[in-house]
mmCIF file of all heavy atoms in Angstrom:
data_model
loop_
_atom_site.group_PDB
_atom_site.id
_atom_site.type_symbol
_atom_site.label_atom_id
_atom_site.label_comp_id
_atom_site.label_asym_id
_atom_site.label_seq_id
_atom_site.Cartn_x
_atom_site.Cartn_y
_atom_site.Cartn_z
ATOM 1 N N LYS J 733 42.179 14.326 -32.095
ATOM 2 C CA LYS J 733 42.445 15.389 -33.049
ATOM 3 C C LYS J 733 43.127 14.746 -34.245
ATOM 4 O O LYS J 733 44.182 14.127 -34.115
ATOM 5 C CB LYS J 733 43.355 16.450 -32.424
ATOM 6 C CG LYS J 733 43.570 17.658 -33.309
ATOM 7 C CD LYS J 733 44.430 18.688 -32.596
ATOM 8 C CE LYS J 733 44.652 19.885 -33.497
ATOM 9 N NZ LYS J 733 45.571 20.846 -32.880
ATOM 10 N N LYS J 734 42.476 14.855 -35.410
ATOM 11 C CA LYS J 734 43.003 14.224 -36.609
ATOM 12 C C LYS J 734 42.967 15.237 -37.747
ATOM 13 O O LYS J 734 41.900 15.758 -38.070
ATOM 14 C CB LYS J 734 42.162 12.995 -36.957
ATOM 15 C CG LYS J 734 42.702 12.168 -38.101
ATOM 16 C CD LYS J 734 41.822 10.937 -38.293
ATOM 17 C CE LYS J 734 42.349 10.072 -39.410
ATOM 18 N NZ LYS J 734 41.496 8.910 -39.652
ATOM 19 N N ASP J 735 44.104 15.525 -38.311
ATOM 20 C CA ASP J 735 44.218 16.505 -39.396
ATOM 21 C C ASP J 735 43.620 17.850 -39.002
ATOM 22 O O ASP J 735 42.963 18.511 -39.810
ATOM 23 C CB ASP J 735 43.548 15.978 -40.679
ATOM 24 C CG ASP J 735 44.160 14.674 -41.161
ATOM 25 O OD1 ASP J 735 45.377 14.493 -40.947
ATOM 26 O OD2 ASP J 735 43.415 13.840 -41.720
ATOM 27 N N GLY J 736 43.815 18.266 -37.764
ATOM 28 C CA GLY J 736 43.327 19.555 -37.309
ATOM 29 C C GLY J 736 41.882 19.563 -36.861
ATOM 30 O O GLY J 736 41.415 20.547 -36.297
ATOM 31 N N ASP J 737 41.153 18.486 -37.103
ATOM 32 C CA ASP J 737 39.748 18.412 -36.701
ATOM 33 C C ASP J 737 39.619 17.515 -35.472
ATOM 34 O O ASP J 737 40.332 16.526 -35.337
ATOM 35 C CB ASP J 737 38.884 17.832 -37.825
ATOM 36 C CG ASP J 737 38.749 18.786 -38.997
ATOM 37 O OD1 ASP J 737 38.803 20.012 -38.768
ATOM 38 O OD2 ASP J 737 38.589 18.299 -40.124
ATOM 39 N N TYR J 738 38.668 17.866 -34.625
ATOM 40 C CA TYR J 738 38.381 17.035 -33.466
ATOM 41 C C TYR J 738 37.260 16.079 -33.815
ATOM 42 O O TYR J 738 36.299 16.447 -34.485
ATOM 43 C CB TYR J 738 37.985 17.901 -32.264
ATOM 44 C CG TYR J 738 39.139 18.688 -31.717
ATOM 45 C CD1 TYR J 738 39.365 19.997 -32.129
ATOM 46 C CD2 TYR J 738 40.014 18.112 -30.812
ATOM 47 C CE1 TYR J 738 40.442 20.715 -31.637
ATOM 48 C CE2 TYR J 738 41.090 18.827 -30.310
ATOM 49 C CZ TYR J 738 41.295 20.127 -30.726
ATOM 50 O OH TYR J 738 42.358 20.821 -30.240
ATOM 51 N N GLN J 739 37.407 14.850 -33.376
ATOM 52 C CA GLN J 739 36.401 13.842 -33.675
ATOM 53 C C GLN J 739 36.068 13.091 -32.397
ATOM 54 O O GLN J 739 36.956 12.610 -31.697
ATOM 55 C CB GLN J 739 36.950 12.874 -34.727
ATOM 56 C CG GLN J 739 35.927 11.929 -35.261
ATOM 57 C CD GLN J 739 36.467 11.151 -36.456
ATOM 58 O OE1 GLN J 739 37.658 11.134 -36.738
ATOM 59 N NE2 GLN J 739 35.571 10.494 -37.158
ATOM 60 N N LYS J 740 34.773 13.016 -32.097
ATOM 61 C CA LYS J 740 34.315 12.323 -30.891
ATOM 62 C C LYS J 740 33.978 10.884 -31.256
ATOM 63 O O LYS J 740 33.251 10.642 -32.220
ATOM 64 C CB LYS J 740 33.092 13.025 -30.314
ATOM 65 C CG LYS J 740 32.605 12.402 -29.017
ATOM 66 C CD LYS J 740 31.407 13.160 -28.486
ATOM 67 C CE LYS J 740 30.888 12.509 -27.222
ATOM 68 N NZ LYS J 740 29.684 13.171 -26.725
ATOM 69 N N ILE J 741 34.500 9.978 -30.477
ATOM 70 C CA ILE J 741 34.216 8.555 -30.682
ATOM 71 C C ILE J 741 33.475 8.038 -29.456
ATOM 72 O O ILE J 741 33.953 8.184 -28.338
ATOM 73 C CB ILE J 741 35.515 7.767 -30.926
ATOM 74 C CG1 ILE J 741 36.176 8.279 -32.201
ATOM 75 C CG2 ILE J 741 35.248 6.271 -30.987
ATOM 76 C CD1 ILE J 741 37.542 7.750 -32.443
ATOM 77 N N GLU J 742 32.293 7.488 -29.693
ATOM 78 C CA GLU J 742 31.453 7.012 -28.601
ATOM 79 C C GLU J 742 31.285 5.503 -28.727
ATOM 80 O O GLU J 742 31.013 4.997 -29.817
ATOM 81 C CB GLU J 742 30.095 7.711 -28.674
ATOM 82 C CG GLU J 742 29.278 7.577 -27.423
ATOM 83 C CD GLU J 742 28.086 8.533 -27.440
ATOM 84 O OE1 GLU J 742 28.289 9.740 -27.256
ATOM 85 O OE2 GLU J 742 26.961 8.044 -27.655
ATOM 86 N N VAL J 743 31.469 4.812 -27.636
ATOM 87 C CA VAL J 743 31.396 3.353 -27.631
ATOM 88 C C VAL J 743 30.354 2.927 -26.605
ATOM 89 O O VAL J 743 30.375 3.384 -25.466
ATOM 90 C CB VAL J 743 32.774 2.726 -27.280
ATOM 91 C CG1 VAL J 743 32.681 1.217 -27.245
ATOM 92 C CG2 VAL J 743 33.832 3.194 -28.258
ATOM 93 N N HIS J 744 29.428 2.063 -27.038
ATOM 94 C CA HIS J 744 28.391 1.520 -26.156
ATOM 95 C C HIS J 744 28.621 0.024 -25.989
ATOM 96 O O HIS J 744 29.159 -0.626 -26.887
ATOM 97 C CB HIS J 744 27.001 1.705 -26.764
ATOM 98 C CG HIS J 744 26.654 3.115 -27.098
ATOM 99 N ND1 HIS J 744 27.091 3.728 -28.244
ATOM 100 C CD2 HIS J 744 25.920 4.029 -26.426
ATOM 101 C CE1 HIS J 744 26.628 4.971 -28.277
ATOM 102 N NE2 HIS J 744 25.919 5.179 -27.188
ATOM 103 N N ILE J 745 28.146 -0.503 -24.885
ATOM 104 C CA ILE J 745 28.137 -1.956 -24.722
ATOM 105 C C ILE J 745 27.242 -2.550 -25.805
ATOM 106 O O ILE J 745 26.158 -2.040 -26.069
ATOM 107 C CB ILE J 745 27.644 -2.340 -23.315
ATOM 108 C CG1 ILE J 745 28.713 -1.947 -22.297
ATOM 109 C CG2 ILE J 745 27.350 -3.829 -23.221
ATOM 110 C CD1 ILE J 745 28.326 -2.244 -20.882
ATOM 111 N N GLY J 746 27.722 -3.589 -26.458
ATOM 112 C CA GLY J 746 26.967 -4.226 -27.534
ATOM 113 C C GLY J 746 27.359 -3.727 -28.908
ATOM 114 O O GLY J 746 26.995 -4.344 -29.903
ATOM 115 N N ASP J 747 28.092 -2.613 -28.976
ATOM 116 C CA ASP J 747 28.554 -2.116 -30.272
ATOM 117 C C ASP J 747 29.524 -3.113 -30.901
ATOM 118 O O ASP J 747 30.287 -3.787 -30.201
ATOM 119 C CB ASP J 747 29.301 -0.785 -30.122
ATOM 120 C CG ASP J 747 28.370 0.397 -29.942
ATOM 121 O OD1 ASP J 747 27.149 0.213 -30.024
ATOM 122 O OD2 ASP J 747 28.893 1.510 -29.718
ATOM 123 N N ILE J 748 29.482 -3.162 -32.226
ATOM 124 C CA ILE J 748 30.507 -3.902 -32.959
ATOM 125 C C ILE J 748 31.453 -2.865 -33.542
ATOM 126 O O ILE J 748 31.021 -1.957 -34.264
ATOM 127 C CB ILE J 748 29.891 -4.793 -34.043
ATOM 128 C CG1 ILE J 748 29.033 -5.869 -33.388
ATOM 129 C CG2 ILE J 748 30.984 -5.429 -34.889
ATOM 130 C CD1 ILE J 748 28.240 -6.709 -34.359
#
Side-chain angles (χ1 to χ4, degrees):
K733 186 177 179 185
K734 186 177 181 182
D735 301 328
D737 290 330
Y738 290 94
Q739 189 171 13
K740 183 179 178 183
I741 298 171
E742 195 168 286
V743 179
H744 304 81
I745 290 179
D747 282 355
I748 295 173

